[in-house]
């Protein structure tokens, strides 16, 4: 979904998976992406729930185009989401790139700080969403609710024309100082 988030944002949500996560059955929550195609090529950050069986954890990872940085920025403890996980999560990013991960693994509101980290590679994101990887038996076993993103970035300053170049008698190429 198109959701502009700035350099300082808090994301909150509840999730429950009706299966044990694996490489073929996992949830990715894309917090910040520069591309609407959340499954392939984007620059931004995502939470991954599940990867290694009994070692499953929640990890905040950075995606650079088609490659994912394999060193998590944030991580819960090994095994914390290994068996049909449920949690209420909060992820906070401050203006300079400090990240915090909070969770209540009962799904309640008693959120505890799990990890802190730093990454300031990407400040803004234009898209938020989820990617559910699943085998046919787990198609209906993803439950996600109570999504909150605060604050949403509001661009109050319009684009400024930087340059206009005539291409021919009917066409002019214009350049602005920001994406339209």
């Amino acid at each position: 979904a198109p959701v502009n988030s700035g350099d300082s944002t808090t994301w909150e949500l509840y999730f429950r998976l009706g299966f044990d996560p694996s490489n073929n059955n996992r949830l990715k929550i894309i917090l910040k992406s520069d591309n609407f195609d959340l499954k392939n090529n984007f620059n931004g950050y995502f939470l991954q729930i599940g990867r290694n069986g009994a070692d499953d954890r929640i990890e905040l990872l950075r995606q650079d185009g088609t490659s994912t940085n394999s060193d998590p920025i944030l991580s819960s403890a090994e095994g914390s989401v290994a068996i049909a996980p449920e949690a209420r999560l909060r992820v906070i990013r401050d203006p300079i790139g400090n990240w915090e991960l909070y969770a209540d693994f009962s799904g309640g509101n008693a959120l505890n700080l799990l990890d802190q980290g730093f990454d300031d590679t990407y400040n803004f994101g234009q898209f938020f969403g989820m990617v559910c990887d699943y085998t046919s038996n787990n198609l209906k076993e993803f439950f996600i609710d109570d999504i909150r993103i605060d604050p949403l970035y509001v661009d109050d300053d319009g684009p400024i024309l930087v340059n206009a170049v005539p291409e021919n008698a009917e066409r002019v190429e214009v350049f602005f100082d920001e994406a339209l």
Side-chain angles (χ1 to χ4, degrees), residues 81-107:
V81 291
I83 301 172
E86 171 184 33
R88 185 168 304 277
L89 302 176
R90 179 181 296 143
V91 178
I92 299 172
R93 184 188 192 270
D94 76 10
I96 62 171
N98 293 306
W99 294 82
E100 296 178 338
L101 173 63
Y102 295 82
D104 179 340
F105 290 106
S106 72

Side-chain angles (χ1 to χ4, degrees), residues 16-36:
R16 180 169 46 89
L17 304 180
F19 55 85
D20 298 349
S22 68
N23 283 329
N24 297 320
N25 294 283
R26 63 182 170 197
L27 172 62
K28 290 182 181 177
I29 303 162
I30 290 72
L31 303 177
K32 290 177 173 267
S33 170
D34 67 343
N35 188 342
F36 69 92

Side-chain angles (χ1 to χ4, degrees), residues 15 25 36 56 78 148:
F15 79 88
N25 294 283
F36 69 92
D56 283 331
E78 283 188 13
R148 181 173 172 251

Side-chain angles (χ1 to χ4, degrees), residues 43-61:
N43 296 309
Y45 301 96
F46 66 94
L47 289 173
Q48 181 168 271
I49 290 70
R51 183 190 328 200
N52 297 319
D55 295 338
D56 283 331
R57 62 182 95 195
I58 300 168
E59 297 175 313
L60 176 69
L61 298 163

Side-chain angles (χ1 to χ4, degrees), residues 1-5 11 31-33 125-129 149 152-153:
V3 174
N4 284 326
S5 57
W11 297 265
L31 303 177
K32 290 177 173 267
S33 170
Q126 297 164 320
F127 299 93
F128 167 89
I149 304 169
L152 294 178
Y153 176 73

